[in-house]
C-alpha cells in the first residue's frame, strides 16, 4: 500500500488517500473502512438514456463516486473488497441518495474520510502505518501436498491465503506398471513447481515449507533441486537453503496449522510475525495451565487487570484480536481502542494485535478476543462485581481455568 496523502484534524477527523498495490492491501482496507465513513473511488455506473422516440439505451460510464459506507463484503481468497452505501455527492451520472457498490481495485487510488471525534484513532492510524510499511510482504510460502494434490499458500503478517490448488491424476502402482505411476508423479511435481514459480519472486529469500504425509515432500524437494541443476536456473538453485521439508497429516490446507506448530518449523520461522504471535499464544497458554494468576482472558477480566496496573512495564502483554476493531457499534470499538492506548501509552506494556485469519488469532477469538500476560499475579478477577454491564459486548466472556 502506498500513502498518497493524509490530513488529520486535532479532533480525530480527517482523510487519507491510499494506493493499493497488491492483494494483501485489500485486507488492510477491509480492516480500515467502517460503516458511516465516506469513501471516494473510481466506479462503473450504468446510465440509461431515452431518445425522442421513446426508445431507451443503456451504457456503462466510468466515473468517481463518494458514498457513505453502509456495509462491506470481503472475499479472503480472491482478496476482493466490495463496499456498499448511498451516494453523497451528485455527479452527471448519479444522484444523491442512490445506492452503489464500489469495487476497490489494485493500482487505483481511493480516499477514505472519517468524521466525528476520535474517528482516526490510534488503531486506525496503526493499520495505515503497517499497510504502508515498505518491508511488508509474504513471510512464508507453503506447499501442503500428497500424491496428486498440492495446496500453495502464502503466510503474511496478517493472514494465510490459499493462492493455488493443484490436482493431477496419478496411476496407482500395479504389477509391472510402476512406470505409469512414476510418470504421473513426475507430471504432478512439474505442474506444482511451475505453479509455484508463477507465484513466488526468486529474488527474495523467504522460507518455503514443503509438507506432506510420507515422503512426497522430500521427493518434491529433490525434484526442485534436480530441475534447477539440469536447467541451470541459478535463482532457483539459490532457493535450496530456503526449502523446509516437514511432515503433515494430509495434503489439505487445514494441515498447515499443525505444521506451523512443529518445533523445527517454529525454530526456522522464528523471525516471522506469524511465529512470534504463535509463541506469544503458547506462552500465554503455558501460564494459564499453571493457574498462578498471571494469565487471564475475557473482556471484563482484562479491563480489571489493566485498572489494577497489572498489564504494564516489566513483562505485561495485552493480546487482542483485530476482529474486535471491526465492531459495528462505535462504543464497542472505542472501548477496545481505549484499552490499547492505556496499556501502551500509560502503563508501558506491550500490545500485540493478532490477526483473526491466523491460527493464533483464531485461538484468541475462542477466548473472547482479548487476553493478557500480567506483570504480577491477580486472583479472582472473574468474581468481582460487574461494573460495566451497560457496555455492549460482542465476544463471550472468559473464565480462568
Amino acid at each position: 500500500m502506498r500513502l498518497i496523502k493524509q490530513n488529520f484534524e486535532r479532533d480525530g477527523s480527517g482523510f487519507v488517500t491510499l494506493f493499493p498495490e497488491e492483494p494483501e492491501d485489500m485486507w488492510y482496507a477491509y480492516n480500515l473502512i467502517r460503516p458511516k465513513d465516506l469513501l471516494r473511488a473510481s466506479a462503473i455506473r450504468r446510465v440509461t438514456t431515452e431518445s425522442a422516440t421513446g426508445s431507451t439505451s443503456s451504457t456503462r460510464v466510468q466515473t468517481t463516486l463518494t458514498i457513505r459506507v453502509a456495509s462491506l463484503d470481503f472475499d479472503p481468497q480472491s482478496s476482493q473488497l466490495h463496499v456498499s452505501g448511498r451516494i453523497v455527492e451528485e455527479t452527471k451520472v448519479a444522484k444523491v441518495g442512490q445506492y452503489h457498490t464500489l469495487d476497490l481495485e489494485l493500482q487505483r487510488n481511493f480516499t477514505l474520510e472519517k468524521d466525528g471525534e476520535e474517528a482516526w484513532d490510534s488503531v486506525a492510524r496503526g493499520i495505515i502505518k503497517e499497510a504502508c510499511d515498505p518491508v511488508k510482504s509474504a513471510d512464508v510460502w507453503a506447499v501442503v501436498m500428497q500424491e496428486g494434490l498440492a495446496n500453495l499458500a502464502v503466510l503474511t503478517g496478517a493472514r494465510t491465503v490459499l493462492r493455488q490448488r493443484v490436482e493431477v491424476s496419478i496411476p496407482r502402482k500395479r504389477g509391472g506398471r510402476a512406470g505409469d505411476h512414476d510418470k504421473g508423479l513426475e507430471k504432478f511435481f512439474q505442474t506444482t513447481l511451475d505453479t509455484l514459480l508463477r507465484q513466488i519472486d526468486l529474488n527474495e529469500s523467504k522460507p518455503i515449507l514443503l509438507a506432506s504425509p510420507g515422503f512426497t515432500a522430500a521427493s518434491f524437494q529433490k525434484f526442485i533441486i534436480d530441475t534447477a541443476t539440469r536447467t541451470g536456473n541459478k535463482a532457483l538453485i539459490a532457493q535450496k537453503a530456503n526449502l523446509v521439508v516437514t511432515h503433515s497429516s494430509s495434503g489439505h490446507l487445514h494441515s498447515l496449522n499443525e505444521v506451523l506448530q512443529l518445533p523445527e518449523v517454529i525454530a526456522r520461522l522464528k523471525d516471522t510475525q506469524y511465529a512470534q504471535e504463535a509463541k506469544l499464544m503458547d506462552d500465554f497458554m503455558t501460564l494459564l495451565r499453571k493457574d498462578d494468576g498471571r494469565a487471564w482472558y475475557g473482556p471484563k477480566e482484562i479491563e480489571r487487570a489493566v485498572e489494577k496496573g497489572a498489564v504494564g512495564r516489566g513483562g505485561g502483554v495485552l493480546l487482542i484480536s483485530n476482529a474486535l476493531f471491526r465492531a459495528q457499534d462505535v462504543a464497542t470499538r472505542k472501548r477496545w481502542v481505549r484499552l490499547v492506548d492505556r496499556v501502551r501509552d500509560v502503563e508501558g506494556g506491550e500490545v500485540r494485535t493478532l490477526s483473526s485469519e491466523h491460527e493464533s488469532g483464531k485461538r484468541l477469538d475462542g477466548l473472547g478476543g482479548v487476553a493478557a500476560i500480567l506483570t504480577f499475579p491477580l486472583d479472582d478477577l472473574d468474581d468481582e462485581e460487574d461494573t460495566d454491564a451497560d457496555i455492549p459486548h460482542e465476544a463471550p466472556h472468559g473464565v480462568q481455568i
Side-chain angles (χ1 to χ4, degrees):
M1 189 89 80
R2 191 189 312 164
L3 178 62
I4 304 300
K5 187 178 181 181
Q6 69 177 22
N7 182 38
F8 299 138
E9 304 294 340
R10 289 187 177 182
D11 63 358
S13 61
F15 72 89
V16 62
T17 299
L18 298 168
F19 183 79
E21 299 176 295
E22 54 188 54
E24 181 72 5
D25 293 336
M26 292 303 175
W27 166 254
Y28 287 101
Y30 171 60
N31 283 275
L32 192 62
I33 301 170
R34 305 301 333 131
K36 299 184 180 180
D37 289 348
L38 291 176
L39 179 64
R40 182 180 179 87
S42 176
I44 301 295
R45 187 79 174 172
R46 184 177 294 277
V47 179
T48 303
T49 57
E50 183 176 349
S51 67
T53 61
S55 62
T56 60
S57 62
S58 179
T59 57
R60 293 166 63 87
V61 178
Q62 185 166 0
T63 185
T64 299
L65 296 177
T66 303
I67 65 171
R68 177 75 67 177
V69 177
S71 62
L72 298 91
D73 178 33
F74 178 69
D75 184 343
Q77 296 304 325
S78 62
S79 295
Q80 293 182 340
L81 178 58
H82 312 289
V83 186
S84 301
R86 295 194 179 276
I87 298 171
V88 296
E89 292 181 3
E90 187 167 339
T91 69
K92 293 181 180 180
V93 297
K95 295 181 180 180
V96 172
Q98 291 181 324
Y99 206 77
H100 189 87
T101 297
L102 291 173
D103 300 323
L104 297 191
E105 301 177 37
L106 297 180
Q107 312 301 320
R108 286 187 181 272
N109 289 357
F110 70 86
T111 298
L112 180 65
E113 182 177 349
K114 295 177 180 285
D115 48 23
E117 187 178 354
E118 298 180 4
W120 284 104
D121 52 43
S122 61
V123 172
R125 297 189 192 202
I127 292 173
I128 294 176
K129 182 179 180 181
E130 182 179 351
C132 298
D133 184 349
V135 302
K136 174 186 64 68
S137 61
D139 276 341
V140 182
W141 281 94
V143 181
V144 187
M145 62 196 315
Q146 60 192 43
E147 286 197 2
L149 172 66
N151 288 283
L152 280 66
V154 59
L155 284 74
T156 70
R159 59 197 182 110
T160 302
V161 183
L162 175 66
R163 295 301 295 268
Q164 196 75 46
R165 182 183 177 93
V166 176
E167 291 186 86
V168 174
S169 178
I170 300 177
R172 294 183 179 180
K173 288 184 178 180
R174 292 179 179 176
R177 301 184 61 185
D180 292 342
H181 173 271
D182 294 342
K183 289 180 181 178
L185 187 61
E186 182 176 352
K187 179 182 177 183
F188 167 59
F189 283 162
Q190 187 63 60
T191 303
T192 303
L193 177 57
D194 290 343
T195 305
L196 180 63
L197 293 179
R198 287 195 296 268
Q199 299 286 339
I200 67 174
D201 183 354
L202 292 178
N203 294 318
E204 293 184 348
S205 181
K206 301 286 185 182
I208 304 174
L209 293 180
L210 307 177
S212 75
F215 301 100
T216 305
S219 299
F220 182 52
Q221 179 194 38
K222 183 177 183 301
F223 179 84
I224 294 174
I225 297 171
D226 290 347
T227 301
T229 303
R230 186 182 71 254
T231 60
N233 189 333
K234 294 182 180 180
L236 184 56
I237 294 174
Q239 293 290 330
K240 180 179 178 180
N242 293 325
L243 299 175
V244 182
V245 176
T246 187
H247 179 269
S248 67
S249 60
S250 76
H252 296 283
L253 188 61
H254 63 77
S255 297
L256 182 59
N257 292 330
E258 65 188 50
V259 170
L260 293 169
Q261 295 176 32
L262 296 174
E264 62 269 24
V265 174
I266 293 174
R268 185 65 184 270
L269 308 182
K270 62 182 180 180
D271 294 329
T272 66
Q273 181 175 335
Y274 183 99
Q276 292 168 1
E277 292 180 355
K279 184 178 184 304
L280 273 174
M281 279 304 300
D282 288 342
D283 292 345
F284 171 80
M285 296 305 296
T286 298
L287 287 172
L288 194 62
R289 285 190 290 270
K290 288 182 178 180
D291 194 19
D292 62 357
R294 282 198 60 210
W296 284 88
Y297 65 90
K300 295 179 184 178
E301 290 79 1
I302 300 308
E303 287 176 322
R304 289 166 181 157
V306 172
E307 286 292 331
K308 296 176 181 290
V311 192
R313 295 176 181 85
V317 182
L318 174 67
L319 304 172
I320 189 163
S321 170
N322 63 4
L324 296 181
F325 300 114
R326 294 196 293 270
Q328 299 283 343
D329 182 76
V330 175
T332 301
R333 177 185 169 89
K334 287 186 175 181
R335 175 190 189 185
W336 303 122
V337 172
R338 284 196 299 267
L339 185 69
V340 167
D341 289 346
R342 173 159 181 175
V343 171
R344 182 179 55 215
D345 301 333
V346 179
E347 304 295 336
E350 180 182 357
V351 176
R352 296 302 294 262
T353 303
L354 273 57
S355 171
S356 58
E357 293 292 311
H358 275 169
E359 183 63 22
S360 54
K362 292 176 181 177
R363 293 167 69 188
L364 183 60
D365 285 341
L367 301 176
V370 61
I373 297 174
L374 311 188
T375 53
F376 53 84
L378 291 175
D379 296 324
D380 302 324
L381 287 177
D382 51 350
D383 294 333
E384 295 185 15
E385 182 181 355
D386 186 0
T387 59
D388 58 357
D390 59 327
I391 301 179
H393 293 265
E394 295 201 352
H397 293 178
V399 293
Q400 188 182 26
I401 59 175

